[in-house]
């Protein structure tokens, strides 16, 4: 039997066609593959837009949920095209990339030579099969005047706990780009029910398999998520900037710490998770994993309007204090050696902020910077998996913003499965004068199920924290509408995600005027 023939009776029929091309040390690539099933079942994506181009991504997987994903252990050529129109009548770039088995036959193409500040369309072809088109915009020319930008913020999309209606809705927003703050997948085993603040409910969908540990586990989990048509529509509609939070690896992990697991063993899991993350995200070569490590913090600019600092608050952080208990505090919160970003990333961020001449400086990251008092009564209590559990590095960041007079700073956050809008002060218990920065926290796409307009704890948080201006506990996403004069954040929410067809509304809009810093209802 030809070694490149079918791997299963109902799966792939992939032959050499017109012959193979020799790649590397004698390995043969398939020149004209023939697939028995559609190979682009995981869709397409674009990412990291720059003034001259962006990354485009796809992955060959005729049988996405099977080990080997229905592909042979050989490289397969994939053609790509970029055009200025949906009909691909005006091609401006094209080429061929190799989908390699070492990378689960994923393809990352860094397209260059495009014009700044304009819309493009892209697609892929393998053999006789072709993807639908995807859309991406290049960033404006460096330093050029930009009158307006609209972009989205998404994250926390537990597959089991709800449908991806929010992704379908954001695909229709005609955005410049999307920022995904993380929790793209969840690592847990399949479960029939979910228990949260609203009690125990039956999940509308189920994870396949057990908890993810191996590379094959993570690949299968990404495949299950990316087969969702609504998520594919969201990716195809705009280029994404992606970072990760905790569930891409394990709940509340930080650096080499995972409770009860020897560090050297946990690094093996991190390595598998990092490779699978790269394989399935539209990331540049600079993020290519080196063992368990990935370079995910990076900077991007949108003309003279936005300086975007994408942060990684997991990989370089010290362990959570107080055993990561909820709504409490302890001496460890004041540990002078504690880190959230790690020294290298922190100094990189400070340099970027110091030299920025953009109207708005953005910290796009994962965990809340507002130190919300979350415990009823006179005793302090915080979420210790947020910046509030790391008082010294948090204060260092706020002091830096204040002392260097770095105005118009906006923090974009996720992880909470709720919407929040608030202000950052040097002393949040005595919020006097103008805030140091504004913070907007985006709720989940599906994690925690349908939710409700406001939990009892949300009402408590608003009463106990003068700097907090808004709270909501429904699912959805955020759209940021930014001009040199003002930053507007629109909180878009769904009435349900437990069933398809949820109704989207704009629950609230909050704005920050340039040079002011205060968060006000708009």
């Amino acid at each position: 039997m030809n070694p490149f023939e079918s791997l299963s009776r109902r799966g792939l029929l992939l032959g050499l066609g017109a012959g193979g091309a020799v790649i590397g040390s004698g390995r043969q690539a398939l020149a004209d593959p023939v697939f028995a099933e559609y190979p682009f079942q995981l869709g397409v994506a674009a990412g990291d837009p720059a003034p001259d181009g962006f990354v485009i991504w796809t992955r060959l997987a005729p049988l996405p949920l099977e080990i080997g994903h229905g592909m042979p252990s050989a490289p397969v050529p994939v053609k790509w095209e970029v055009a200025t129109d949906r009909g691909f009548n005006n091609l401006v770039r094209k080429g061929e990339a190799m989908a390699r088995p070492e990378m689960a036959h994923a393809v990352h193409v860094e397209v260059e030579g495009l014009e700044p500040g304009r819309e493009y369309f892209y697609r892929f072809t393998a053999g006789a099969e072709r993807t639908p088109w995807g859309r991406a915009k290049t960033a404006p020319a460096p330093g050029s005047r930009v009158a307006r930008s609209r972009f989205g913020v998404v994250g926390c999309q537990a597959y089991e706990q709800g449908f991806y209606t929010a992704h379908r809705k954001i695909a229709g927003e005609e955005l410049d780009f999307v920022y995904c703050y993380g929790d793209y997948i969840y690592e847990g085993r399949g479960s029939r029910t979910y228990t949260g603040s609203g009690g125990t409910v039956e999940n509308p969908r189920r994870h396949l398999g057990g908890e993810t540990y191996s590379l094959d586990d993570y690949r299968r989990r990404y495949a299950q998520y990316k087969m969702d048509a609504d998520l594919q529509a969201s990716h195809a509609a705009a280029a994404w900037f992606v970072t990760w939070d905790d569930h891409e690896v394990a709940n509340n992990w930080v650096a080499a710490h995972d409770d009860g697991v020897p560090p050297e063993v946990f690094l093996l899991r991190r390595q598998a998770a990092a490779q699978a993350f790269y394989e399935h995200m539209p990331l540049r070569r600079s993020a290519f994993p080196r063992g368990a490590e990935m370079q995910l913090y990076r900077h991007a600019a949108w003309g003279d309007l936005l300086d975007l600092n994408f942060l990684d608050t997991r990989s370089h952080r010290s362990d959570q204090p107080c055993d990561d208990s909820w709504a409490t505090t302890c001496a460890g919160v004041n540990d002078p050696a504690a880190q959230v970003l790690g020294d290298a990333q922190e100094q990189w961020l400070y340099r970027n902020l110091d030299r920025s001449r953009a109207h708005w400086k953005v910290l796009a990251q994962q965990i809340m910077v507002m130190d919300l008092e979350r415990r009823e009564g006179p005793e302090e209590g915080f979420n210790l998996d947020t910046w509030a559990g790391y008082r010294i590095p948090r204060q260092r960041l706020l002091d830096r913003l204040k002392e260097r007079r770095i105005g118009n700073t906006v923090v974009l956050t996720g992880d909470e499965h709720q919407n929040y809008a608030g202000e950052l002060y040097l002393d949040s218990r005595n919020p006097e004068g103008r805030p140091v920065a504004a913070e907007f926290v985006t709720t989940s796409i599906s994690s925690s199920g349908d939710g409700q307009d406001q939990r009892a704890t949300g009402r408590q948080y608003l009463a106990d924290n003068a700097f907090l201006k808004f709270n909501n506990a429904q699912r959805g996403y955020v759209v940021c509408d930014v001009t040199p004069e003002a930053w507007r954040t629109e909180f878009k929410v769904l009435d349900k995600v437990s069933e398809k067809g949820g109704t989207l509304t704009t629950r609230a809009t909050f704005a920050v005027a340039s040079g002011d810093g205060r968060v006000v209802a708009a």
Side-chain angles (χ1 to χ4, degrees):
M1 177 182 289
N2 188 305
F4 302 117
E5 285 180 355
S6 177
L7 300 181
S8 73
R9 290 181 180 274
R10 62 183 182 84
L12 176 71
L13 295 175
L14 181 52
L16 283 174
V22 176
I23 301 295
S25 56
R27 175 173 284 174
Q28 201 166 31
L30 304 182
D32 292 309
V34 178
F35 304 94
E37 304 208 24
Y38 186 60
F40 296 111
Q41 294 190 39
L42 306 187
V44 299
D48 278 14
D52 68 339
F54 36 73
V55 180
I56 56 175
W57 171 95
T58 194
R59 181 183 162 209
L60 299 177
L63 299 173
L65 301 177
E66 293 192 5
I67 291 180
H69 50 277
M71 290 292 293
S73 297
V76 176
V78 178
K79 294 181 174 64
W80 57 270
E81 298 173 311
V82 176
T84 59
D85 63 304
R86 290 178 174 85
F88 288 80
N89 296 307
N90 183 32
L91 285 180
V92 293
R93 288 289 180 275
K94 64 179 180 178
E96 185 174 275
M98 202 60 64
R100 299 185 179 278
E102 297 92 336
M103 298 298 295
H105 292 95
V107 172
H108 300 74
V109 177
E110 297 190 27
V111 182
E112 297 177 337
L114 304 182
E115 296 179 12
R118 70 162 300 161
E119 180 181 70
Y120 289 95
F121 300 88
Y122 63 93
R123 65 187 181 187
F124 297 91
T125 303
E129 303 287 359
R130 176 178 287 164
T131 68
W133 56 259
R135 168 190 174 272
K137 288 185 70 174
T138 51
S144 62
R145 181 173 295 181
V146 175
R148 185 187 185 196
S149 178
R150 277 177 61 85
F151 66 91
V153 184
V154 300
C156 289
Q157 51 186 41
Y159 180 88
E160 292 192 311
Q161 293 168 18
F163 292 98
Y164 289 167
T165 310
H167 276 305
R168 178 64 62 175
K169 298 295 186 181
I170 203 171
E173 293 274 4
E174 290 286 325
L175 302 173
D176 290 332
F177 60 88
V178 170
Y179 164 53
C180 179
Y181 58 73
D183 288 347
Y184 191 97
I185 62 163
Y186 278 65
E187 81 285 7
R189 66 179 176 84
S191 178
R192 186 178 62 83
T193 60
Y194 162 73
T195 301
S197 60
T200 299
V201 297
E202 188 160 340
N203 285 324
R205 306 196 283 189
R206 293 281 297 276
H207 281 155
L208 297 174
E211 187 162 342
T212 54
Y213 290 98
S214 71
L215 180 56
D216 280 335
D217 292 339
Y218 283 107
R219 284 172 171 171
R220 188 185 196 201
R221 187 60 50 85
Y222 277 103
Q224 185 177 14
Y225 278 56
K226 293 183 80 71
M227 288 173 72
D228 185 280
D230 294 335
L231 176 56
Q232 290 187 20
S234 182
H235 272 298
W240 286 29
F241 290 101
V242 298
T243 56
W244 64 12
D245 194 20
D246 55 334
H247 289 288
E248 287 87 353
V249 182
N251 184 43
N252 281 11
W253 75 278
V254 292
H257 299 278
D258 188 32
D259 292 343
V261 180
E264 67 275 13
V265 175
F266 181 57
L267 282 175
L268 295 176
R269 186 178 188 181
R270 274 191 59 192
Q271 182 170 321
Q275 178 169 340
F277 183 75
Y278 181 82
E279 288 174 350
H280 292 87
M281 294 295 111
L283 287 163
R284 293 183 179 273
R285 182 77 178 185
S286 58
F288 196 92
R290 293 165 177 82
E293 302 300 325
M294 294 184 71
Q295 179 64 44
L296 285 179
Y297 65 85
R298 59 205 189 276
H299 170 267
W302 210 258
D304 69 346
L305 186 64
L306 299 168
D307 259 352
L308 299 148
N309 298 283
F310 300 100
L311 307 182
D312 178 356
T313 60
R314 289 290 167 189
S315 301
H316 313 285
R317 189 169 13 146
S318 52
D319 203 7
Q320 293 96 339
C322 324
D323 296 322
D324 199 11
S325 300
W326 176 258
T328 188
T329 190
C330 66
V333 170
N334 295 307
D335 181 1
Q339 293 279 358
V340 175
L341 303 177
D343 184 65
Q345 182 178 192
E346 186 172 324
Q347 295 306 314
W348 166 88
L349 173 62
Y350 292 167
R351 289 193 298 272
N352 287 350
L353 292 172
D354 284 347
R355 65 187 176 213
S356 175
R357 297 296 178 266
H359 287 288
W360 299 94
K361 294 83 176 171
V362 182
L363 276 59
Q365 48 101 63
Q366 295 75 41
I367 54 173
M368 188 184 285
V369 180
M370 290 183 287
D371 56 344
L372 280 188
E373 174 62 68
R374 302 187 191 235
R375 184 172 181 174
E376 284 191 273
E379 297 184 15
E380 284 188 326
F382 305 103
N383 176 356
L384 300 173
D385 190 47
T386 70
W387 284 78
Y390 302 79
R391 189 165 289 164
I392 303 304
R394 178 182 183 276
Q395 197 64 45
R396 199 160 57 231
L397 172 62
L398 298 180
D399 286 343
R400 181 81 175 203
L401 294 174
K402 181 74 171 180
E403 291 167 2
R404 298 297 179 100
R405 298 181 180 179
I406 301 171
N408 287 357
T409 301
V410 175
V411 181
L412 300 177
T413 301
D415 190 52
E416 298 274 342
H417 303 179
Q418 295 190 58
N419 289 308
Y420 292 92
E423 300 162 345
L424 297 172
Y425 293 86
L426 294 184
D427 182 358
S428 57
R429 303 303 157 228
N430 297 287
E432 298 177 350
R434 288 183 177 175
V436 173
E439 183 170 15
F440 298 107
V441 181
T442 300
T443 190
S444 61
I445 290 286
S446 56
S447 304
S448 298
D450 286 335
Q452 59 200 88
D453 184 67
Q454 195 173 70
R455 301 175 186 169
T457 52
R459 292 189 289 272
Q460 173 200 325
Y461 298 162
L462 283 166
D464 292 348
N465 300 275
F467 54 85
L468 185 63
K469 306 302 177 183
F470 174 68
N471 165 259
N472 164 267
Q474 291 170 286
R475 310 285 73 81
Y477 58 92
V478 151
V479 170
C480 300
D481 192 336
V482 187
T483 67
E485 294 74 32
W487 180 296
R488 292 168 58 90
T489 296
E490 303 166 5
F491 292 96
K492 309 268 191 170
V493 301
L494 291 160
D495 62 336
K496 61 183 177 181
V497 294
S498 56
E499 300 175 5
K500 293 184 177 181
T503 299
L504 184 78
T505 57
T506 300
R507 172 62 179 80
T509 301
F510 282 82
V512 181
S514 179
D516 191 321
R518 289 174 295 180
V519 174
V520 297

